[in-house]
């Protein structure tokens, strides 16, 4: 918590009929109960509270009449003045309150005072402080996917989010999508982005993917950069994106906020949080395919996704069903993975430290990255490939996963790569080699326990800036790329193929799961773009372990 600093206002006000010393500085609003009796009272509520000004949602004027509070719409005041009743002026401050498991709630406290001028002064001073905070959004462009998750996107937004935005004085322009890629194309071609301070995505990871595709594309076009080029340094997007979770996995929200809760996300948007995020670009033979921010998975996660798309009617449970099915199917995939290890950075995928709010590793590596790209711009030797840093692994794999963030989600609260960072310019490449069902189950189960899922002989993990994958069936004739249709026909064929090892594995063709979307090509080149986008989030907050000594109440 910040130090209180110079006081802007200090008054004696009442909260629920008790006298409080209330003070406001640029950083803190504090209310401290006046010592009425020195006798210890076990049931007396906490006597001192303080809220960072940055976490005040809004302030509203109220009036209190004989103990019953009324919202001030002017009419009450006139009647009261006419009748000459004894009234007190009041104002209510709405602020962020932290609950369990990283959830935030909107709490409120009402202060009363007998002097109208004092009350007005308080309201205007708090409003002034809020208005001086330039990181808060005033106009938002909201896209709702009515079709994602349990199809509750519209209801979630209207009931839980819109009232909070109204209270915080945020104006919105809301678009309920009518078809897939509606939001992406609207952002690419139509949206008047200058009018907005941010974009809100109500939906799952797939919907978020649409939003970033629209926004990144539009930003590059506006900056005169070719968004298709695999070698171009992309220009970062200035508009922040807020995620209101209303999908099936919602791992981007979970990994950046710590919970999948629409009210918590709305509050992070209102207070104007900012969290940069790495984005991977995926190309096939220099042709742009897609961007990814969470999981790029070939093999197991690709197959789970392909299979689950046909079971959308099951809702989020489709992933468990298809997960079990693909686990039992136990296919392996042959191919070559090449990667460029991330050099000069701090942090490894096996670290015990986690990416948390204000992560110093992200700050350090992000800085390093911008210095590197400046250097490379001046220096022609930007192709690290020529300097021979690339490494190549040929083999048989059950899964090839690249996690640009932890991919924590309710199914696996620590995620696919628990030590991955949101904004360090790298992705964690996880290779699960062909092994028995029993061993693969051990690996999967460790995603849900404290045990290290990488501490197994058939699993390896590398922190990389770039990687490539070439499936074996493309190596002989890479021009003969199979389209999705042919791919699935071959998969059926491979299931009945008798020519596979005795352990029960069947060699097969898979597809890439790219943030929940299936890629149309299997041979891909992936490159991480450090901190290309920003979210209305702050990363997962560290849970407090001891009393904060800078809290004025604790002194
Ligand atoms: C035995 C239990 C094993 C639990 C293993 C859990 C690992 C979960 C890691 C999940 C990483 C998720 C990364 C995010 C992907 C999303 O972009 C993407 C799209 O999200 P959206 O629908 O919101 O748009 N979601 C997905 O691709 C879903 C992946 C879900 C995978 C679930 C796998 C379940 C495996 C169950 C195996 C059961 C074996 C049981 C044997 C007795
Ligand atoms: N109005 C719509 N109708 C059909 N599909 C849509 C619509 N709007 C978005 N989509 C698509 O729905 C898919 C799933 O959306 P998402 O919000 O990620 O839900 P889920 O987490 O359940 O997959 C995405 O691929 C997105 O492009
Ligand atoms: Ca990263």
């Amino acid at each position: 918590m910040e130090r209180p600093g110079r006081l802007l206002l200090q008054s004696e006000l009442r909260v629920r009929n008790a006298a409080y010393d209330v003070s406001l500085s640029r950083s803190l609003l504090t209310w401290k109960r006046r010592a009425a009796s020195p006798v210890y009272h076990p049931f007396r509520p906490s006597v001192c509270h303080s809220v960072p000004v940055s976490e005040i949602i809004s302030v509203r004027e109220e009036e209190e009449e004989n103990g019953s509070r009324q919202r001030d719409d002017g009419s009450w005041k006139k009647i009261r003045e006419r009748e000459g009743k004894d009234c007190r002026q009041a104002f209510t401050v709405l602020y962020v309150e932290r609950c369990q498991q990283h959830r935030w709630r909107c709490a409120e406290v009402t202060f009363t005072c007998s002097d109208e001028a004092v009350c007005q002064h308080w309201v205007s001073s708090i409003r002034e402080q809020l208005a001086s905070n330039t990181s808060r959004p005033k106009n938002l462009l909201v896209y709702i996917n009515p079709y994602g998750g349990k199809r509750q996107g519209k209801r979630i937004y209207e009931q839980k989010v819109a009232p909070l935005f109204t209270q915080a004085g945020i104006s919105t322009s809301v678009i309920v999508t009518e078809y897939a890629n509606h939001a992406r194309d609207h952002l690419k071609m139509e949206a008047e982005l200058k009018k907005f301070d941010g974009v809100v995505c109500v939906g799952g990871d797939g919907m978020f993917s649409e939003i970033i595709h629209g926004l990144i594309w539009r930003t590059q076009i506006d900056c005169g950069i070719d968004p298709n080029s695999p070698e171009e340094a992309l220009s970062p997007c200035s508009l922040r994106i807020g995620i209101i979770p209303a999908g099936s996995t919602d791992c981007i929200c979970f990994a950046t906020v710590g919970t999948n809760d629409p009210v918590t996300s709305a509050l992070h948007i209102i207070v104007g949080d900012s969290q940069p995020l790495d984005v991977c670009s995926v190309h096939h033979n220099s042709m742009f395919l897609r961007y990814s921010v969470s999981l790029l998975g070939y093999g197991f996660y690709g197959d789970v996704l392909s299979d689950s798309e046909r079971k959308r009617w099951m809702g989020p449970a489709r992933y468990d069903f298809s997960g079990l099915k693909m686990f039992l199917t136990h296919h392996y995939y042959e191919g070559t993975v090449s990667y460029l290890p991330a050099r000069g950075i701090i942090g490894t995928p096996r670290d015990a430290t986690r990416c948390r709010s204000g992560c110093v590793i992200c700050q350090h590596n992000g800085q390093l990255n911008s210095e590197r790209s400046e250097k490379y711009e001046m220096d022609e030797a930007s192709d690290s490939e020529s300097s021979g840093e690339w490494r190549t692994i040929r083999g048989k794999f059950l899964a090839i996963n690249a996690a640009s963030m932890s991919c924590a989600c309710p199914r696996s609260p620590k995620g696919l790569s628990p030590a991955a960072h949101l904004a360090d310019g790298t992705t964690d490449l996880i290779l699960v080699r062909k092994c028995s069902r029993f061993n693969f189950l051990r690996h999967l189960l460790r995603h849900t326990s404290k045990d290290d899922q990488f501490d197994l002989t058939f699993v390896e993990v590398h922190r990389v800036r770039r990687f490539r994958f070439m499936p074996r069936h493309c190596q002989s004739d890479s021009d003969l790329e199979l389209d999705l249709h042919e791919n699935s026909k071959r998969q059926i064929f491979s299931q009945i193929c008798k020519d596979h090892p005795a352990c029960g594995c069947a060699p097969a063709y898979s597809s890439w799961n790219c943030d929940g979307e299936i890629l149309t090509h299997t041979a891909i080149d992936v490159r991480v773009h450090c901190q290309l986008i920003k979210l209305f989030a702050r990363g997962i907050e560290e849970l407090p372990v001891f009393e904060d000594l800078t809290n004025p109440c604790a002194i």
Side-chain angles (χ1 to χ4, degrees):
M1 204 173 280
E2 290 169 70
R3 289 196 169 275
R6 195 173 64 85
L7 292 185
L8 302 169
L9 261 181
Q10 192 167 26
S11 311
E12 186 195 321
L13 304 174
R14 299 187 80 79
V15 179
R16 274 181 265 104
N17 276 330
Y20 277 75
D21 286 320
V22 189
S23 63
L24 177 72
S25 71
R26 279 186 209 293
S27 57
L28 280 181
L29 170 70
T30 305
W31 59 106
K32 192 171 181 180
R33 195 167 168 153
R34 292 206 135 198
S37 138
V39 182
Y40 170 73
H41 195 299
F43 301 114
R44 184 182 295 154
S46 168
V47 292
C48 183
H49 307 258
S50 75
V51 171
V53 170
S54 60
E55 291 179 10
I56 293 178
I57 295 154
S58 65
V59 56
R60 73 168 184 249
E61 290 175 71
E62 319 262 2
E63 289 183 15
E64 198 155 276
E65 192 172 352
N66 301 332
S68 68
R69 236 188 292 140
Q70 305 289 347
R71 191 80 61 91
D72 183 10
D73 62 356
S75 52
W76 283 97
K77 196 173 165 188
K78 283 190 196 109
I79 295 166
R80 229 193 40 242
E81 276 167 359
R82 224 184 300 130
E83 293 177 357
K85 283 192 183 163
D86 170 35
C87 290
R88 293 182 147 272
Q89 299 291 316
F91 62 95
T92 298
V93 176
L94 290 90
Y95 61 93
V96 169
E97 185 177 67
R98 284 169 178 74
C99 305
Q100 283 191 328
Q101 281 149 359
H102 306 287
R103 279 171 179 252
W104 283 12
R105 280 290 167 268
C106 176
E108 55 178 65
V109 54
T110 300
F111 299 100
T112 53
C113 57
S114 45
D115 189 332
E116 188 173 347
V118 172
C119 189
Q120 291 285 322
H121 193 33
W122 268 95
V123 171
S124 56
S125 298
I126 296 174
R127 286 197 179 137
E128 241 168 63
Q129 290 310 305
L130 298 185
S132 70
N133 184 340
T134 50
S135 57
R136 291 192 175 208
K138 293 183 184 66
N139 293 297
L140 293 171
L141 175 57
V142 181
Y143 293 99
I144 304 176
N145 177 3
Y147 172 77
K150 295 180 183 150
R151 303 181 187 229
Q152 299 293 306
K154 204 159 167 283
R155 189 189 61 81
I156 289 171
Y157 181 75
E158 281 163 4
Q159 292 182 3
K160 299 189 170 181
V161 178
L164 284 170
F165 284 172
T166 307
Q167 243 158 5
I170 295 175
S171 20
T172 52
S173 198
V174 180
I175 295 173
V176 179
T177 61
E178 287 162 17
Y179 46 89
N181 291 327
H182 182 174
R184 184 198 66 183
D185 294 343
H186 186 262
L187 274 166
K188 259 186 173 179
M189 288 170 298
E190 279 174 60
E192 275 189 75
L193 297 184
K194 282 198 188 75
K195 285 185 7 195
F196 300 102
D197 310 307
V199 178
V200 175
C201 163
V202 185
D205 294 334
M207 185 62 181
F208 179 79
S209 175
E210 273 200 34
I211 304 283
I212 62 162
H213 279 80
L215 209 53
I216 296 173
W217 188 273
R218 178 75 176 267
T219 307
Q220 307 321 307
I221 298 299
D222 290 351
C223 295
I225 292 170
D226 174 7
N228 282 313
S229 161
E231 294 306 324
E232 282 259 26
L234 300 179
S235 193
C237 302
S238 53
L239 287 186
R240 281 167 289 171
I241 311 169
I243 309 175
I244 305 294
S248 302
T249 312
D250 299 319
C251 100
I252 301 157
C253 180
F254 196 95
T256 53
V257 175
T259 183
N260 284 343
D261 174 53
V263 170
T264 306
S265 288
L267 295 174
H268 280 284
I269 296 170
I270 290 169
V271 303
D273 273 344
S274 188
Q275 171 65 54
L277 214 58
D278 296 335
V279 177
C280 289
S281 59
V282 186
H283 286 79
H284 166 80
N285 284 345
S286 298
M287 174 180 77
F288 172 75
L289 295 180
R290 283 193 81 84
Y291 297 113
S292 162
V293 290
S294 59
L295 166 69
L296 258 168
Y298 184 81
F300 183 69
Y301 290 101
D303 297 348
V304 169
L305 186 70
S306 314
D307 191 73
S308 67
E309 274 306 298
R310 295 188 283 269
K311 300 180 181 68
R312 238 178 203 284
W313 56 269
M314 289 173 79
R318 68 189 185 278
Y319 290 133
D320 303 305
F321 183 90
S322 298
L324 177 62
K325 182 175 160 190
M326 288 307 145
F327 169 75
L328 295 172
T329 308
H330 200 57
H331 280 162
Y332 74 80
Y333 310 90
E334 291 190 70
T336 305
V337 184
S338 318
Y339 62 91
L340 190 60
R343 299 228 177 274
I345 52 150
I346 38 177
T348 78
R350 308 286 296 272
D351 285 344
T353 45
R354 301 287 175 254
C355 185
R356 291 291 178 261
S357 228
C359 176
V360 286
I361 293 182
C362 287
Q363 281 168 29
H364 175 274
N365 295 348
Q367 181 66 30
L368 189 86
N369 220 293
S370 53
E371 284 161 14
R372 262 168 46 103
S373 43
E374 271 169 32
K375 188 169 147 256
Y376 284 150
E377 262 166 37
M378 292 181 288
D379 185 356
E380 284 296 289
S382 62
D383 188 358
S384 321
E385 196 175 6
S386 53
S387 56
E389 286 181 56
W390 283 77
R391 292 188 195 162
T392 299
I393 298 173
R394 207 177 288 258
K396 295 175 179 171
F397 307 97
L398 292 186
I400 295 164
N401 302 322
S404 300
M405 55 167 73
S406 71
C407 294
C409 59
R411 269 188 190 82
S412 168
K414 65 176 184 174
L416 279 181
S417 190
H421 287 271
L422 294 171
D424 67 340
T426 73
T427 187
D428 287 350
L429 183 62
I430 306 160
L431 307 176
V432 185
R433 288 176 189 270
K434 182 183 159 212
C435 63
S436 66
R437 278 193 187 80
F438 175 72
N439 272 335
F440 190 44
L441 182 62
R442 280 173 66 210
H443 168 66
L444 285 177
L445 281 172
R446 288 187 186 190
H447 289 82
T448 60
S449 75
K450 283 206 171 74
D451 296 330
D452 181 359
Q453 61 257 47
F454 305 134
D455 189 18
L456 294 162
T457 53
F458 51 92
V459 181
E460 58 188 282
V461 56
H462 308 278
R463 192 154 279 181
V464 310
R465 287 190 200 287
R466 291 183 176 213
F467 75 92
R468 291 187 186 140
F469 176 69
M470 177 70 79
R472 204 180 100 124
H473 62 272
C474 293
Q475 277 162 3
S476 49
D477 191 355
S478 58
D479 290 334
L480 268 181
E481 205 27 83
L482 299 163
D483 69 13
L484 254 183
H485 181 63
E486 282 168 337
N487 206 345
S488 59
K489 271 199 296 191
R490 281 202 177 215
Q491 201 156 342
I492 295 162
F493 177 73
S494 70
Q495 280 172 25
I496 53 165
C497 175
K498 300 282 181 296
D499 183 29
H500 64 250
C503 74
C505 288
Y509 302 94
S510 184
S511 38
W512 283 94
N513 172 342
C514 176
D515 289 0
E517 303 294 309
I518 296 162
L519 291 185
T520 47
H521 292 82
T522 46
I524 58 169
D525 284 4
V526 179
R527 174 181 167 197
V528 189
H529 298 265
C530 188
Q531 307 188 0
L532 189 62
I533 57 170
K534 276 189 288 209
L535 299 186
F536 284 112
R538 56 172 67 172
I540 299 175
E541 288 185 304
E542 210 81 66
L543 293 172
V545 279
F546 52 83
E547 192 66 37
D548 187 353
L549 292 175
T550 59
N551 183 344
C553 301
I555 301 168

